[in-house]
Amino acid sequence: MRNSYKYTKMYSGGEPSFTEADFFTTVIPLSEAATATVGPTTELDSREQDKEQVKEQDKEQVTIQDLIQFCSVPRSRKEMQEFMGLTSRRNFSEKYIKPLLRAGKIEMTVPDKPNSRNQKYKKNEH
């Protein structure tokens, strides 16, 4: 409550009011400057937001399909990661390699040694 008084006076010069009844209510008066919107105020309507989201999903799907096609020739994790333009090894493995292996889209060239430094991944032709 002390901070409510302190900061309300700082930002608007007013004092907050606290009302206790069936519900506890706090009213904090703010000046127009304290509630001004920062940055662009144009908002995308929901249809435009949906379109943007679908574009991002399509872009990622195309990228995954491109990655699978890239693996027509056996590729190392590093080669695959560079192809995708990604730097985080762990994130790449969790987000791309493991799901593609589980889905049967790619397979390991050395399945008996998944952590082998010679491990490569190739497109599953089945």
Side-chain angles (χ1 to χ4, degrees), residues 97-115:
I97 293 179
K98 288 181 181 180
L100 288 172
L101 286 169
R102 281 192 298 268
K105 302 287 184 181
I106 62 173
E107 59 188 8
M108 294 181 201
T109 57
V110 188
D112 297 340
K113 298 180 181 178
N115 296 324

Side-chain angles (χ1 to χ4, degrees), residues 80-93:
M80 294 166 67
Q81 200 168 320
E82 287 173 358
F83 175 77
M84 298 286 286
L86 300 171
T87 56
S88 172
R89 178 181 181 161
R90 182 171 182 205
N91 185 38
F92 183 76
S93 180

Side-chain angles (χ1 to χ4, degrees), residues 14-42:
E15 286 192 10
S17 68
F18 302 98
T19 310
E20 189 175 349
D22 289 339
F23 295 97
F24 184 78
T25 309
T26 304
V27 177
I28 300 178
L30 295 174
S31 67
E32 197 170 315
T35 59
T37 303
V38 178
T41 58
T42 56

